[in-house]
């Protein structure tokens, strides 16, 4: 025989609603979704809830239980005290359709914006070969069940409606990281795309997404932070940036990143070579002794120009540079 427990369940739709109180029977070993189904069967047959597998693998029954985003089918009633009121509400980040069902179309729109796996040229399906270590690196991210709990707790989406058009969220950061790590993916612009189109820079790695993931994917440590580091290495590392400005002047004018391929005519008009091979890196000029001709480059101020590019233009005019060549040895050996 079960015991009576106090439940508070949010009832309403997109026009508004409120929490309603229920006394419902709870049996040993049951999960919250079992209790919701009992409420539907005995007290409130019009209660709307989304669910499918009841095994923690479809991600459908996402809800907030006592204020924490969880899967209803994986939250056991034994985790709560017998006198504790269990409050069940819909995901707060997404618009409510009715009761515990929310509209998560935002996530599917972001999924459509992310370029899919690009097959390598000259390799037919069935001929793909990968090292086991490469398989294991990205396998963690493929465990995602798209419950969107990480999207729900991400404050960039949850608290700032104005960010949604430029921010994909943690679920799609791990997808971008997985493809960037994939040795057979033919696209080499995943990092730039994450920065320019997915809004990777908005994430301040609070790890709230990792904390609620039911598949225990280390979203922040294994996906977001490495992607941020690779973007920084490519774009903002001062040494790399300065070297590119000096020795690879053919890349001074960077074109904006676009996830959608442009027609050939449009690409020609805009000057974008996004879908073409980039210029081949050139070696730095060296002297006969194998050393750089310029030993040191200094500015006429205490600090170097900002690596983010402000009002400083490289290469600098000659009158603003000071070349310091190695001094020839004197007669006393110094």
């Amino acid at each position: 025989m079960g015991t009576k427990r106090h439940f508070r369940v949010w009832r309403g739709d997109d026009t508004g609603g409120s929490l309603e109180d229920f006394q419902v029977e709870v049996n040993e070993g049951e999960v919250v979704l079992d209790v919701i189904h009992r409420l539907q069967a005995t007290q409130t047959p019009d209660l709307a809830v989304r669910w499918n597998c009841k095994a923690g693998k479809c991600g459908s029954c996402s809800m907030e239980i006592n204020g924490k985003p969880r899967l209803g089918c994986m939250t056991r009633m034994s985790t709560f005290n017998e006198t504790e009121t269990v409050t069940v509400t819909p995901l707060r980040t997404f618009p409510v359709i009715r009761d515990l069902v929310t509209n998560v179309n935002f996530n599917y729109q972001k999924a459509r914006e992310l370029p899919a796996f690009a097959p390598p040229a000259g390799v037919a399906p069935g001929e793909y070969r990968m090292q086991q270590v490469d398989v294991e690196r990205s396998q963690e991210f493929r465990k995602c069940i798209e419950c969107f709990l990480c999207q729900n707790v991400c404050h960039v989406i949850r608290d700032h409606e104005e960010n949604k058009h430029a921010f994909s969220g943690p679920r799609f950061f791990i997808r971008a990281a997985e493809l960037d790590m994939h040795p057979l993916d033919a696209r080499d612009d995943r990092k730039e795309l994450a920065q320019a189109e997915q809004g990777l820079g908005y994430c301040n790695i609070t790890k709230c997404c990792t904390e609620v993931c039911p598949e225990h994917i280390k979203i922040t440590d294994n996906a977001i932070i490495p992607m941020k580091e690779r973007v920084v290495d490519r774009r903002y590392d001062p040494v790399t940036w300065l070297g590119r400005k000096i020795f690879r002047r053919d890349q001074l004018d960077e074109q904006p990143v676009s996830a959608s391929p442009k027609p050939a005519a449009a690409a020609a008009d805009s000057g974008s070579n996004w879908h073409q091979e980039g210029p081949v890196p050139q070696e730095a000029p060296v002297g006969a002794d194998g050393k750089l001709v310029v030993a040191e480059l200094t500015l006429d101020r205490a600090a170097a120009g900002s690596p983010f590019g402000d009002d400083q233009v490289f290469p600098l005019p000659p009158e603003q540079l000071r070349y310091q060549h190695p001094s020839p040895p004197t007669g006393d050996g110094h």
Side-chain angles (χ1 to χ4, degrees), residues 13-43:
D13 54 26
D14 57 349
T15 62
S18 61
L19 290 168
E20 293 186 9
D21 294 275
F22 300 94
Q23 292 292 326
V24 60
E25 179 181 324
V26 175
N27 299 311
E28 184 178 359
E30 287 187 330
V31 295
V32 170
L33 187 60
D34 291 323
V35 180
I36 295 297
H37 286 166
R38 183 168 291 114
L39 281 174
Q40 287 179 317
T42 60
Q43 300 183 48

PDB file of all heavy atoms in Angstrom, residues 13-43:
ATOM      1  N   ASP A  13      -1.525  27.684 -19.547  1.00  0.00           N
ATOM      2  CA  ASP A  13      -1.089  27.704 -20.935  1.00  0.00           C
ATOM      3  C   ASP A  13      -0.311  28.987 -21.189  1.00  0.00           C
ATOM      4  O   ASP A  13       0.173  29.613 -20.239  1.00  0.00           O
ATOM      5  CB  ASP A  13      -2.290  27.570 -21.885  1.00  0.00           C
ATOM      6  CG  ASP A  13      -3.364  28.609 -21.598  1.00  0.00           C
ATOM      7  OD1 ASP A  13      -3.028  29.690 -21.056  1.00  0.00           O
ATOM      8  OD2 ASP A  13      -4.540  28.354 -21.926  1.00  0.00           O
ATOM      9  N   ASP A  14      -0.203  29.397 -22.457  1.00  0.00           N
ATOM     10  CA  ASP A  14       0.610  30.565 -22.774  1.00  0.00           C
ATOM     11  C   ASP A  14      -0.005  31.880 -22.305  1.00  0.00           C
ATOM     12  O   ASP A  14       0.650  32.922 -22.349  1.00  0.00           O
ATOM     13  CB  ASP A  14       0.876  30.629 -24.279  1.00  0.00           C
ATOM     14  CG  ASP A  14      -0.411  30.661 -25.094  1.00  0.00           C
ATOM     15  OD1 ASP A  14      -1.493  30.424 -24.518  1.00  0.00           O
ATOM     16  OD2 ASP A  14      -0.329  30.918 -26.307  1.00  0.00           O
ATOM     17  N   THR A  15      -1.251  31.835 -21.840  1.00  0.00           N
ATOM     18  CA  THR A  15      -1.880  33.057 -21.329  1.00  0.00           C
ATOM     19  C   THR A  15      -1.706  33.212 -19.827  1.00  0.00           C
ATOM     20  O   THR A  15      -2.006  34.281 -19.279  1.00  0.00           O
ATOM     21  CB  THR A  15      -3.382  33.069 -21.665  1.00  0.00           C
ATOM     22  OG1 THR A  15      -4.018  31.947 -21.018  1.00  0.00           O
ATOM     23  CG2 THR A  15      -3.581  32.973 -23.176  1.00  0.00           C
ATOM     24  N   GLY A  16      -1.237  32.162 -19.152  1.00  0.00           N
ATOM     25  CA  GLY A  16      -1.041  32.231 -17.699  1.00  0.00           C
ATOM     26  C   GLY A  16      -1.450  30.940 -17.025  1.00  0.00           C
ATOM     27  O   GLY A  16      -1.988  30.023 -17.663  1.00  0.00           O
ATOM     28  N   GLY A  17      -1.221  30.855 -15.729  1.00  0.00           N
ATOM     29  CA  GLY A  17      -1.564  29.655 -14.984  1.00  0.00           C
ATOM     30  C   GLY A  17      -1.144  29.767 -13.540  1.00  0.00           C
ATOM     31  O   GLY A  17      -0.708  30.832 -13.080  1.00  0.00           O
ATOM     32  N   SER A  18      -1.230  28.666 -12.804  1.00  0.00           N
ATOM     33  CA  SER A  18      -0.879  28.683 -11.383  1.00  0.00           C
ATOM     34  C   SER A  18      -0.580  27.262 -10.923  1.00  0.00           C
ATOM     35  O   SER A  18      -0.839  26.285 -11.654  1.00  0.00           O
ATOM     36  CB  SER A  18      -2.022  29.270 -10.548  1.00  0.00           C
ATOM     37  OG  SER A  18      -3.193  28.476 -10.700  1.00  0.00           O
ATOM     38  N   LEU A  19      -0.046  27.166  -9.723  1.00  0.00           N
ATOM     39  CA  LEU A  19       0.239  25.865  -9.135  1.00  0.00           C
ATOM     40  C   LEU A  19      -1.022  25.315  -8.464  1.00  0.00           C
ATOM     41  O   LEU A  19      -1.722  26.037  -7.755  1.00  0.00           O
ATOM     42  CB  LEU A  19       1.367  25.968  -8.112  1.00  0.00           C
ATOM     43  CG  LEU A  19       2.765  26.237  -8.665  1.00  0.00           C
ATOM     44  CD1 LEU A  19       3.730  26.614  -7.555  1.00  0.00           C
ATOM     45  CD2 LEU A  19       3.286  25.028  -9.421  1.00  0.00           C
ATOM     46  N   GLU A  20      -1.309  24.037  -8.691  1.00  0.00           N
ATOM     47  CA  GLU A  20      -2.447  23.377  -8.051  1.00  0.00           C
ATOM     48  C   GLU A  20      -1.939  22.268  -7.137  1.00  0.00           C
ATOM     49  O   GLU A  20      -0.948  21.597  -7.444  1.00  0.00           O
ATOM     50  CB  GLU A  20      -3.394  22.803  -9.109  1.00  0.00           C
ATOM     51  CG  GLU A  20      -4.090  23.864  -9.948  1.00  0.00           C
ATOM     52  CD  GLU A  20      -5.124  23.264 -10.885  1.00  0.00           C
ATOM     53  OE1 GLU A  20      -5.418  22.045 -10.751  1.00  0.00           O
ATOM     54  OE2 GLU A  20      -5.635  24.008 -11.745  1.00  0.00           O
ATOM     55  N   ASP A  21      -2.601  22.087  -6.026  1.00  0.00           N
ATOM     56  CA  ASP A  21      -2.199  21.110  -5.012  1.00  0.00           C
ATOM     57  C   ASP A  21      -2.959  19.805  -5.191  1.00  0.00           C
ATOM     58  O   ASP A  21      -4.161  19.799  -5.477  1.00  0.00           O
ATOM     59  CB  ASP A  21      -2.444  21.673  -3.619  1.00  0.00           C
ATOM     60  CG  ASP A  21      -1.547  22.864  -3.308  1.00  0.00           C
ATOM     61  OD1 ASP A  21      -0.412  22.635  -2.870  1.00  0.00           O
ATOM     62  OD2 ASP A  21      -1.985  24.013  -3.545  1.00  0.00           O
ATOM     63  N   PHE A  22      -2.233  18.689  -4.988  1.00  0.00           N
ATOM     64  CA  PHE A  22      -2.825  17.361  -5.089  1.00  0.00           C
ATOM     65  C   PHE A  22      -2.263  16.471  -3.982  1.00  0.00           C
ATOM     66  O   PHE A  22      -1.088  16.576  -3.618  1.00  0.00           O
ATOM     67  CB  PHE A  22      -2.509  16.711  -6.443  1.00  0.00           C
ATOM     68  CG  PHE A  22      -3.016  17.470  -7.631  1.00  0.00           C
ATOM     69  CD1 PHE A  22      -2.205  18.382  -8.297  1.00  0.00           C
ATOM     70  CD2 PHE A  22      -4.313  17.264  -8.096  1.00  0.00           C
ATOM     71  CE1 PHE A  22      -2.663  19.066  -9.397  1.00  0.00           C
ATOM     72  CE2 PHE A  22      -4.779  17.954  -9.203  1.00  0.00           C
ATOM     73  CZ  PHE A  22      -3.955  18.862  -9.857  1.00  0.00           C
ATOM     74  N   GLN A  23      -3.104  15.606  -3.444  1.00  0.00           N
ATOM     75  CA  GLN A  23      -2.673  14.513  -2.592  1.00  0.00           C
ATOM     76  C   GLN A  23      -2.764  13.244  -3.425  1.00  0.00           C
ATOM     77  O   GLN A  23      -3.840  12.878  -3.903  1.00  0.00           O
ATOM     78  CB  GLN A  23      -3.571  14.395  -1.351  1.00  0.00           C
ATOM     79  CG  GLN A  23      -3.452  15.550  -0.373  1.00  0.00           C
ATOM     80  CD  GLN A  23      -2.088  15.576   0.309  1.00  0.00           C
ATOM     81  OE1 GLN A  23      -1.486  14.520   0.585  1.00  0.00           O
ATOM     82  NE2 GLN A  23      -1.596  16.778   0.586  1.00  0.00           N
ATOM     83  N   VAL A  24      -1.642  12.588  -3.641  1.00  0.00           N
ATOM     84  CA  VAL A  24      -1.612  11.464  -4.561  1.00  0.00           C
ATOM     85  C   VAL A  24      -0.822  10.316  -3.951  1.00  0.00           C
ATOM     86  O   VAL A  24       0.132  10.512  -3.192  1.00  0.00           O
ATOM     87  CB  VAL A  24      -0.989  11.900  -5.912  1.00  0.00           C
ATOM     88  CG1 VAL A  24       0.424  12.410  -5.717  1.00  0.00           C
ATOM     89  CG2 VAL A  24      -1.016  10.773  -6.932  1.00  0.00           C
ATOM     90  N   GLU A  25      -1.245   9.115  -4.277  1.00  0.00           N
ATOM     91  CA  GLU A  25      -0.586   7.906  -3.755  1.00  0.00           C
ATOM     92  C   GLU A  25       0.758   7.686  -4.436  1.00  0.00           C
ATOM     93  O   GLU A  25       0.888   7.826  -5.654  1.00  0.00           O
ATOM     94  CB  GLU A  25      -1.488   6.696  -3.991  1.00  0.00           C
ATOM     95  CG  GLU A  25      -0.884   5.375  -3.506  1.00  0.00           C
ATOM     96  CD  GLU A  25      -1.792   4.191  -3.788  1.00  0.00           C
ATOM     97  OE1 GLU A  25      -3.024   4.354  -3.695  1.00  0.00           O
ATOM     98  OE2 GLU A  25      -1.250   3.112  -4.122  1.00  0.00           O
ATOM     99  N   VAL A  26       1.755   7.347  -3.637  1.00  0.00           N
ATOM    100  CA  VAL A  26       3.103   7.066  -4.141  1.00  0.00           C
ATOM    101  C   VAL A  26       3.534   5.711  -3.614  1.00  0.00           C
ATOM    102  O   VAL A  26       3.460   5.460  -2.401  1.00  0.00           O
ATOM    103  CB  VAL A  26       4.104   8.150  -3.715  1.00  0.00           C
ATOM    104  CG1 VAL A  26       5.513   7.765  -4.149  1.00  0.00           C
ATOM    105  CG2 VAL A  26       3.722   9.505  -4.312  1.00  0.00           C
ATOM    106  N   ASN A  27       3.982   4.825  -4.490  1.00  0.00           N
ATOM    107  CA  ASN A  27       4.428   3.496  -4.108  1.00  0.00           C
ATOM    108  C   ASN A  27       5.946   3.402  -4.137  1.00  0.00           C
ATOM    109  O   ASN A  27       6.628   4.211  -4.777  1.00  0.00           O
ATOM    110  CB  ASN A  27       3.830   2.445  -5.050  1.00  0.00           C
ATOM    111  CG  ASN A  27       2.318   2.437  -5.003  1.00  0.00           C
ATOM    112  OD1 ASN A  27       1.717   2.413  -3.920  1.00  0.00           O
ATOM    113  ND2 ASN A  27       1.684   2.477  -6.171  1.00  0.00           N
ATOM    114  N   GLU A  28       6.468   2.418  -3.473  1.00  0.00           N
ATOM    115  CA  GLU A  28       7.921   2.228  -3.393  1.00  0.00           C
ATOM    116  C   GLU A  28       8.503   1.991  -4.783  1.00  0.00           C
ATOM    117  O   GLU A  28       7.968   1.236  -5.596  1.00  0.00           O
ATOM    118  CB  GLU A  28       8.243   1.044  -2.490  1.00  0.00           C
ATOM    119  CG  GLU A  28       9.736   0.836  -2.270  1.00  0.00           C
ATOM    120  CD  GLU A  28      10.032  -0.314  -1.321  1.00  0.00           C
ATOM    121  OE1 GLU A  28       9.069  -0.929  -0.820  1.00  0.00           O
ATOM    122  OE2 GLU A  28      11.228  -0.603  -1.098  1.00  0.00           O
ATOM    123  N   GLY A  29       9.628   2.679  -5.053  1.00  0.00           N
ATOM    124  CA  GLY A  29      10.333   2.492  -6.311  1.00  0.00           C
ATOM    125  C   GLY A  29       9.845   3.355  -7.457  1.00  0.00           C
ATOM    126  O   GLY A  29      10.406   3.289  -8.557  1.00  0.00           O
ATOM    127  N   GLU A  30       8.837   4.188  -7.236  1.00  0.00           N
ATOM    128  CA  GLU A  30       8.290   4.985  -8.321  1.00  0.00           C
ATOM    129  C   GLU A  30       9.121   6.247  -8.570  1.00  0.00           C
ATOM    130  O   GLU A  30       9.836   6.729  -7.690  1.00  0.00           O
ATOM    131  CB  GLU A  30       6.835   5.362  -8.031  1.00  0.00           C
ATOM    132  CG  GLU A  30       5.885   4.186  -8.166  1.00  0.00           C
ATOM    133  CD  GLU A  30       4.433   4.617  -8.042  1.00  0.00           C
ATOM    134  OE1 GLU A  30       4.145   5.596  -7.331  1.00  0.00           O
ATOM    135  OE2 GLU A  30       3.583   3.937  -8.654  1.00  0.00           O
ATOM    136  N   VAL A  31       8.938   6.765  -9.772  1.00  0.00           N
ATOM    137  CA  VAL A  31       9.592   8.013 -10.157  1.00  0.00           C
ATOM    138  C   VAL A  31       8.513   9.080 -10.304  1.00  0.00           C
ATOM    139  O   VAL A  31       7.313   8.796 -10.279  1.00  0.00           O
ATOM    140  CB  VAL A  31      10.387   7.851 -11.471  1.00  0.00           C
ATOM    141  CG1 VAL A  31      11.539   6.876 -11.293  1.00  0.00           C
ATOM    142  CG2 VAL A  31       9.465   7.415 -12.617  1.00  0.00           C
ATOM    143  N   VAL A  32       8.946  10.320 -10.475  1.00  0.00           N
ATOM    144  CA  VAL A  32       7.996  11.429 -10.560  1.00  0.00           C
ATOM    145  C   VAL A  32       7.036  11.232 -11.732  1.00  0.00           C
ATOM    146  O   VAL A  32       5.835  11.529 -11.615  1.00  0.00           O
ATOM    147  CB  VAL A  32       8.758  12.766 -10.676  1.00  0.00           C
ATOM    148  CG1 VAL A  32       7.806  13.908 -11.017  1.00  0.00           C
ATOM    149  CG2 VAL A  32       9.503  13.069  -9.389  1.00  0.00           C
ATOM    150  N   LEU A  33       7.528  10.743 -12.859  1.00  0.00           N
ATOM    151  CA  LEU A  33       6.653  10.552 -14.013  1.00  0.00           C
ATOM    152  C   LEU A  33       5.547   9.553 -13.701  1.00  0.00           C
ATOM    153  O   LEU A  33       4.415   9.696 -14.190  1.00  0.00           O
ATOM    154  CB  LEU A  33       7.468  10.092 -15.223  1.00  0.00           C
ATOM    155  CG  LEU A  33       6.714  10.009 -16.547  1.00  0.00           C
ATOM    156  CD1 LEU A  33       6.142  11.368 -16.939  1.00  0.00           C
ATOM    157  CD2 LEU A  33       7.620   9.480 -17.658  1.00  0.00           C
ATOM    158  N   ASP A  34       5.813   8.525 -12.889  1.00  0.00           N
ATOM    159  CA  ASP A  34       4.773   7.582 -12.475  1.00  0.00           C
ATOM    160  C   ASP A  34       3.661   8.310 -11.741  1.00  0.00           C
ATOM    161  O   ASP A  34       2.466   8.039 -11.961  1.00  0.00           O
ATOM    162  CB  ASP A  34       5.365   6.495 -11.564  1.00  0.00           C
ATOM    163  CG  ASP A  34       6.302   5.556 -12.298  1.00  0.00           C
ATOM    164  OD1 ASP A  34       6.024   5.246 -13.472  1.00  0.00           O
ATOM    165  OD2 ASP A  34       7.308   5.139 -11.698  1.00  0.00           O
ATOM    166  N   VAL A  35       4.035   9.239 -10.867  1.00  0.00           N
ATOM    167  CA  VAL A  35       3.045   9.974 -10.092  1.00  0.00           C
ATOM    168  C   VAL A  35       2.234  10.896 -10.994  1.00  0.00           C
ATOM    169  O   VAL A  35       1.016  11.048 -10.833  1.00  0.00           O
ATOM    170  CB  VAL A  35       3.734  10.765  -8.961  1.00  0.00           C
ATOM    171  CG1 VAL A  35       2.707  11.530  -8.138  1.00  0.00           C
ATOM    172  CG2 VAL A  35       4.540   9.837  -8.073  1.00  0.00           C
ATOM    173  N   ILE A  36       2.897  11.525 -11.971  1.00  0.00           N
ATOM    174  CA  ILE A  36       2.181  12.378 -12.924  1.00  0.00           C
ATOM    175  C   ILE A  36       1.157  11.554 -13.699  1.00  0.00           C
ATOM    176  O   ILE A  36       0.007  11.983 -13.917  1.00  0.00           O
ATOM    177  CB  ILE A  36       3.168  13.060 -13.887  1.00  0.00           C
ATOM    178  CG1 ILE A  36       4.093  14.021 -13.135  1.00  0.00           C
ATOM    179  CG2 ILE A  36       2.425  13.793 -14.989  1.00  0.00           C
ATOM    180  CD1 ILE A  36       3.395  15.169 -12.464  1.00  0.00           C
ATOM    181  N   HIS A  37       1.537  10.352 -14.101  1.00  0.00           N
ATOM    182  CA  HIS A  37       0.597   9.480 -14.801  1.00  0.00           C
ATOM    183  C   HIS A  37      -0.564   9.072 -13.894  1.00  0.00           C
ATOM    184  O   HIS A  37      -1.715   8.975 -14.364  1.00  0.00           O
ATOM    185  CB  HIS A  37       1.318   8.230 -15.311  1.00  0.00           C
ATOM    186  CG  HIS A  37       2.199   8.485 -16.492  1.00  0.00           C
ATOM    187  ND1 HIS A  37       3.148   7.592 -16.932  1.00  0.00           N
ATOM    188  CD2 HIS A  37       2.266   9.542 -17.341  1.00  0.00           C
ATOM    189  CE1 HIS A  37       3.759   8.096 -17.991  1.00  0.00           C
ATOM    190  NE2 HIS A  37       3.244   9.277 -18.251  1.00  0.00           N
ATOM    191  N   ARG A  38      -0.298   8.870 -12.620  1.00  0.00           N
ATOM    192  CA  ARG A  38      -1.390   8.525 -11.693  1.00  0.00           C
ATOM    193  C   ARG A  38      -2.341   9.710 -11.519  1.00  0.00           C
ATOM    194  O   ARG A  38      -3.553   9.522 -11.410  1.00  0.00           O
ATOM    195  CB  ARG A  38      -0.809   8.084 -10.348  1.00  0.00           C
ATOM    196  CG  ARG A  38      -1.893   7.631  -9.356  1.00  0.00           C
ATOM    197  CD  ARG A  38      -1.338   6.932  -8.134  1.00  0.00           C
ATOM    198  NE  ARG A  38      -0.787   5.635  -8.500  1.00  0.00           N
ATOM    199  CZ  ARG A  38       0.518   5.345  -8.414  1.00  0.00           C
ATOM    200  NH1 ARG A  38       1.377   6.245  -7.967  1.00  0.00           N
ATOM    201  NH2 ARG A  38       0.950   4.154  -8.767  1.00  0.00           N
ATOM    202  N   LEU A  39      -1.782  10.910 -11.490  1.00  0.00           N
ATOM    203  CA  LEU A  39      -2.640  12.083 -11.424  1.00  0.00           C
ATOM    204  C   LEU A  39      -3.546  12.166 -12.653  1.00  0.00           C
ATOM    205  O   LEU A  39      -4.730  12.498 -12.556  1.00  0.00           O
ATOM    206  CB  LEU A  39      -1.788  13.353 -11.325  1.00  0.00           C
ATOM    207  CG  LEU A  39      -1.204  13.695  -9.960  1.00  0.00           C
ATOM    208  CD1 LEU A  39      -0.268  14.901 -10.073  1.00  0.00           C
ATOM    209  CD2 LEU A  39      -2.319  13.994  -8.958  1.00  0.00           C
ATOM    210  N   GLN A  40      -2.986  11.870 -13.825  1.00  0.00           N
ATOM    211  CA  GLN A  40      -3.780  11.883 -15.046  1.00  0.00           C
ATOM    212  C   GLN A  40      -4.898  10.838 -14.986  1.00  0.00           C
ATOM    213  O   GLN A  40      -6.019  11.080 -15.448  1.00  0.00           O
ATOM    214  CB  GLN A  40      -2.901  11.611 -16.268  1.00  0.00           C
ATOM    215  CG  GLN A  40      -1.979  12.751 -16.680  1.00  0.00           C
ATOM    216  CD  GLN A  40      -1.127  12.382 -17.880  1.00  0.00           C
ATOM    217  OE1 GLN A  40      -0.587  11.270 -17.946  1.00  0.00           O
ATOM    218  NE2 GLN A  40      -0.989  13.304 -18.811  1.00  0.00           N
ATOM    219  N   ALA A  41      -4.584   9.685 -14.401  1.00  0.00           N
ATOM    220  CA  ALA A  41      -5.545   8.580 -14.383  1.00  0.00           C
ATOM    221  C   ALA A  41      -6.629   8.746 -13.323  1.00  0.00           C
ATOM    222  O   ALA A  41      -7.742   8.231 -13.491  1.00  0.00           O
ATOM    223  CB  ALA A  41      -4.807   7.261 -14.159  1.00  0.00           C
ATOM    224  N   THR A  42      -6.352   9.485 -12.251  1.00  0.00           N
ATOM    225  CA  THR A  42      -7.277   9.508 -11.120  1.00  0.00           C
ATOM    226  C   THR A  42      -7.886  10.870 -10.813  1.00  0.00           C
ATOM    227  O   THR A  42      -9.009  10.944 -10.311  1.00  0.00           O
ATOM    228  CB  THR A  42      -6.571   9.000  -9.853  1.00  0.00           C
ATOM    229  OG1 THR A  42      -5.455   9.854  -9.561  1.00  0.00           O
ATOM    230  CG2 THR A  42      -6.082   7.566 -10.042  1.00  0.00           C
ATOM    231  N   GLN A  43      -7.160  11.971 -11.075  1.00  0.00           N
ATOM    232  CA  GLN A  43      -7.646  13.261 -10.596  1.00  0.00           C
ATOM    233  C   GLN A  43      -7.746  14.329 -11.678  1.00  0.00           C
ATOM    234  O   GLN A  43      -8.660  15.153 -11.655  1.00  0.00           O
ATOM    235  CB  GLN A  43      -6.734  13.787  -9.469  1.00  0.00           C
ATOM    236  CG  GLN A  43      -6.662  12.856  -8.265  1.00  0.00           C
ATOM    237  CD  GLN A  43      -5.815  13.447  -7.154  1.00  0.00           C
ATOM    238  OE1 GLN A  43      -5.969  14.604  -6.788  1.00  0.00           O
ATOM    239  NE2 GLN A  43      -4.909  12.640  -6.607  1.00  0.00           N
TER     240      GLN A  43
END
